[in-house]
């Protein structure tokens, strides 16, 4: 989830990553989402879709499993962990879905796995998972050993608000040899922002690197 928040930024947000609050839960995590625009972007990048002869876009097996007045829950079928996206009324979440579909998805060429097969993995998702999540593959083993890193950073996203005075954040994940690495780029805004520490500078601010042990 943290990697998805970093890699896809098509809207400017008041809060770093467009996340207003993070609440770890016993069986998952809840994220407060800033706006309908950011919600649409998150849903587009997480919910799986497929174009023939291409890779699955999004998280294979992920589905919307519950809706309530101010949140939706997403869960990978067959897995216990859940992701709660909160902070917006139910009507806005549905509008965000419609926005994602109308702005970035071609219904004539894309299979919406999360809609066409709400209770089962599609064959495209199964094939994608078998190819890119082979537990015997060395790259997969390295990235799984480093999974704690993104998880830990996501739970501490408030540091981008309260310590770093971050105007914008992005980054990427990579793995080489026996080390999983995540690069987080934090750009402070001069004399502004919600952070407790006021930094001077602009885009291209401090680069924070963290590496998972082998």
């Amino acid at each position: 989830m943290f990697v998805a928040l970093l890699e896809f930024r098509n809207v400017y947000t008041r809060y770093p990553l467009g996340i207003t609050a993070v609440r770890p839960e016993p069986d998952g995590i809840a994220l407060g989402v800033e706006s309908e625009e950011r919600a649409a972007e998150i849903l587009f990048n997480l919910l799986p879709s497929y174009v023939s002869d291409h890779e699955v876009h999004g998280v294979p097996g992920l589905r919307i499993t519950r809706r309530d007045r101010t949140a939706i829950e997403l869960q990978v079928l067959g897995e216990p962990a859940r992701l709660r996206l909160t902070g917006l009324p139910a009507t806005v979440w549905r509008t965000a879905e419609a926005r994602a579909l109308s702005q970035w998805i071609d219904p004539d060429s894309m299979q919406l796995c999360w809609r066409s097969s709400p209770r089962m993995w599609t064959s495209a998702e199964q094939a994608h998972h078998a190819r890119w999540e082979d537990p015997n593959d060395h790259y997969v083993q390295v990235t799984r050993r480093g999974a704690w890193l993104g998880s830990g950073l996501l739970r501490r996203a408030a540091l981008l608000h309260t310590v770093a005075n971050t105007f914008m954040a992005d980054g990427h994940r990579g793995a080489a040899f026996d080390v999983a690495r995540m690069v987080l780029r934090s750009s402070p805004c001069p004399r502004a922002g919600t952070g407790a520490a006021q930094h001077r500078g602009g885009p291209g601010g401090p680069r924070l690197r963290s590496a998972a042990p082998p």
Side-chain angles (χ1 to χ4, degrees):
M1 180 63 200
F2 189 69
V3 174
L5 291 176
L6 287 177
E7 290 185 341
F8 304 99
R9 295 302 310 276
N10 294 312
V11 298
Y12 286 100
T13 57
R14 176 185 177 188
Y15 292 89
L17 307 179
I19 300 301
T20 62
V22 178
R23 186 174 69 252
E25 298 178 342
D27 55 354
I29 195 166
L31 303 179
V33 180
E34 175 180 319
S35 65
E36 177 188 322
E37 292 80 5
R38 186 61 174 137
E41 190 177 57
I42 291 172
L43 291 177
F44 169 72
N45 290 311
L46 288 179
L47 293 172
S49 58
Y50 174 71
V51 178
S52 180
D53 297 328
H54 289 74
E55 298 177 10
V56 172
H57 173 83
V59 180
L62 188 70
R63 301 292 188 270
I64 298 175
T65 55
R66 182 181 176 183
R67 302 175 186 267
D68 60 32
R69 289 182 298 175
T70 59
I72 60 174
E73 288 186 7
L74 296 92
Q75 194 167 1
V76 174
L77 297 175
E79 299 292 339
R82 65 177 185 173
L83 168 66
R84 282 179 56 82
L85 298 176
T86 69
L88 302 171
T91 54
V92 175
W93 282 112
R94 291 191 179 278
T95 305
E97 286 182 59
R99 178 190 289 262
L101 292 172
S102 63
Q103 286 188 347
W104 301 303
I105 292 177
D106 180 0
D108 295 328
S109 62
M110 299 184 74
Q111 176 189 358
L112 306 180
C113 305
W114 51 284
R115 282 194 166 185
S116 64
S117 183
R119 293 180 176 82
M120 294 180 61
W121 286 52
T122 63
S123 58
E125 292 174 294
Q126 292 173 339
H128 180 99
H129 190 269
R131 178 180 180 183
W132 297 109
E133 294 294 335
D134 181 357
N136 296 316
D137 182 83
H138 179 69
Y139 178 85
V140 173
Q141 293 172 356
V142 171
T143 55
R144 287 185 176 181
R145 288 201 303 268
W148 64 271
L149 180 57
S151 179
L153 290 171
L154 179 59
R155 283 157 173 76
R156 293 160 179 82
L159 292 175
L160 296 173
H161 300 224
T162 58
V163 176
N165 193 36
T166 300
F167 173 65
M168 190 178 75
D170 67 356
H172 63 274
R173 179 183 62 185
F177 304 105
D178 291 321
V179 176
R181 177 176 289 107
M182 182 170 288
V183 176
L184 174 62
R185 292 184 290 262
S186 171
S187 297
C189 181
R191 301 177 299 280
T194 58
Q198 296 295 312
H199 298 290
R200 294 182 180 273
R207 294 165 57 89
L208 309 178
R209 291 184 176 86
S210 298

